[in-house]
Amino acid sequence: MLLRPIHYFLAVAEHRGFTRAAAALHVSQPALSQQIRQLEEMLGAQLFDRTGRATRLTDAGHVYFRYARKALQDLEEGRRAIHDVGDLSRGALRLAVTPTFASYLVGPLVERFHARHPNVSLILREMPQERIEALLADDEYDVGIGFEEVRSPEIAAQRLLVETLALVVGSRHPLAGRRRMALKALDNESLVLLTAEFATREQIDRYCRRHGLRPRVLMEANSLGAVIEIVRRTSLSTLLPATIASSRDGLASIALAPSLLERTAVLMQRRGAYQTAAAREFVRLALGHGAGGDG
C-alpha cells in the first residue's frame, strides 16, 4: 500500500514540481497532491517546501528521499531476482558504454554474448561516463564500460583492458605512411577532437598540458562518427585508440614516442547490487576478452 505514495514522492522530488510529476505519472495533480499529503501525515513531517516558484525538498524530505529511493531499488532487484533464469534461456541485460568503446570493443562482446545466449534481450546505450555512473547508481543499468577515473563512491570498477591512443589520420594525409612520430610533432598538427563533455577529450587535454603540447584544435564534434568522417575527408588528424584506425577503412594510426597516451578501461556496476545471470555472464565474457586483448 505504501509503494504508490513513495513512487509519487520520488517523482515530485525528481521533477521539482507537482505539475511535471503528475504529467510524467499520468495522474491528475489533485490525486498526486493528496497522496503526498497522506504520506506526510503518516510520517509526521513536511517533505516539500511549496512556498517558492519551484517545489523543493525540506531537510526531512532530503533524508527520506535517500531511503525511499534505496528501498524501491531493493524491491526492483528482488523482482528481477525472482524472474531471473540461471541458464540464460531468457533474461535481459542493460548496458551503457562511453562512445569510443562502442566503436570497436562493444561489437565483438555483444556478438559473442548473443551467439551464446540469443534469447537474452539487450538494451545498449552510449553516453558520457558521468551519466553512466549516475544511471548505474539509480539501478537504470546493469553494467557500464568506461574509464578507471570513477568518481561516484556508489560504483565498483573492475579493470578490463589498457588501450593506447595514437594519432589517427586519413589515408591521404601526408603522415599516413608513418609508423611512429615524435611526441612534439603534435604541435604541428591541426586536430578535430571530441567535445569537452567526453572523457576522451578530458584525458587528451590533460595529457597535452602535462607534456607541454599545443596542437591546434580546429574542429570539435560531439559524435565519434563525425570525428572519423572529418579525418577521412580532410587533412585534419585526431587522437583516438589505435584499434579504431585498424578496424576501419581509410584511416591510419601513428604511434607517439617516447611517451604513449594510455588509459585503462573498466567494467562498472553499482556496489552491492544484485547481479542477474545475464550481467554475470557478460562480465565474465568481457573480462576474458580484455585479458586476451590488452593493447
Side-chain angles (χ1 to χ4, degrees):
M1 294 294 291
L2 192 57
L3 288 181
R4 181 180 297 172
I6 290 178
H7 273 295
Y8 288 3
F9 161 73
L10 292 175
V12 175
E14 290 164 358
H15 289 279
R16 296 190 176 185
F18 283 80
T19 302
R20 290 189 295 273
L25 293 167
H26 304 290
V27 299
S28 68
Q29 188 170 335
L32 174 61
S33 299
Q34 181 182 16
Q35 290 284 334
I36 297 299
R37 281 196 300 271
Q38 290 176 353
L39 180 62
E40 288 176 325
E41 291 172 3
M42 186 189 72
L43 295 173
Q46 182 178 337
L47 300 175
F48 292 104
D49 178 3
R50 303 168 174 82
T51 59
R53 296 184 63 181
T55 302
R56 301 180 184 277
L57 288 168
T58 62
D59 290 343
H62 277 291
V63 171
Y64 191 66
F65 180 86
R66 294 197 303 271
Y67 287 98
R69 186 175 67 170
K70 179 66 167 58
L72 288 186
Q73 286 177 348
D74 289 344
L75 289 170
E76 174 59 22
E77 286 185 357
R79 185 193 67 79
R80 293 207 310 274
I82 290 173
H83 292 91
D84 193 16
V85 178
D87 64 3
L88 293 173
S89 58
R90 60 179 172 83
L93 175 67
R94 304 168 301 173
L95 176 64
V97 300
T98 53
T100 53
F101 295 125
S103 66
Y104 73 95
L105 174 62
V106 173
L109 285 177
V110 170
E111 179 184 24
R112 186 181 304 179
F113 182 84
H114 180 68
R116 297 188 183 194
H117 312 292
N119 294 320
V120 174
S121 64
L122 173 66
I123 296 174
L124 173 63
R125 295 287 185 272
E126 182 181 303
M127 63 189 74
Q129 176 149 339
E130 183 179 359
R131 181 69 174 153
I132 293 176
E133 293 183 29
L135 292 177
L136 285 172
D138 287 343
D139 196 38
E140 295 292 329
Y141 286 86
D142 302 306
V143 182
I145 300 179
F147 302 106
E148 64 179 341
E149 296 92 351
V150 175
R151 296 178 179 177
S152 171
E154 298 181 69
I155 303 302
Q158 293 177 273
R159 177 174 165 145
L160 180 57
L161 57 84
V162 176
E163 63 177 12
T164 301
L165 267 66
L167 185 71
V168 176
V169 300
S171 57
R172 293 175 293 179
H173 192 281
L175 297 175
R178 296 277 296 273
R179 298 289 300 275
R180 187 176 295 268
M181 61 181 275
L183 189 65
K184 195 63 180 175
L186 279 180
D187 284 343
N188 300 321
E189 286 299 304
S190 297
L191 303 182
V192 51
L193 296 177
L194 289 167
T195 48
E197 70 260 33
F198 293 97
T200 297
R201 176 60 183 277
E202 181 183 342
Q203 293 161 349
I204 290 170
D205 288 346
R206 188 167 62 241
Y207 178 78
C208 289
R209 287 194 301 269
R210 185 165 63 243
H211 292 278
L213 302 173
R214 293 179 177 82
R216 291 169 291 172
V217 181
L218 293 188
M219 294 188 190
E220 296 182 337
N222 67 349
S223 160
L224 182 62
V227 170
I228 290 172
E229 282 303 304
I230 290 169
V231 169
R232 272 203 186 107
R233 298 171 183 274
T234 70
S235 61
L236 299 182
S237 52
T238 191
L239 289 166
L240 286 174
T243 317
I244 291 179
S246 65
S247 64
R248 292 173 182 257
D249 294 333
L251 297 179
S253 65
I254 304 164
L256 300 172
S259 183
L260 300 176
L261 174 51
E262 294 184 340
R263 59 189 187 175
T264 301
V266 296
L267 287 170
M268 298 179 289
Q269 294 178 283
R270 184 163 66 90
R271 291 188 188 277
Y274 170 75
Q275 274 194 318
T276 64
R280 290 195 302 271
E281 174 66 2
F282 182 84
V283 168
R284 187 187 69 80
L285 288 175
L287 293 175
H289 178 89
D294 284 10

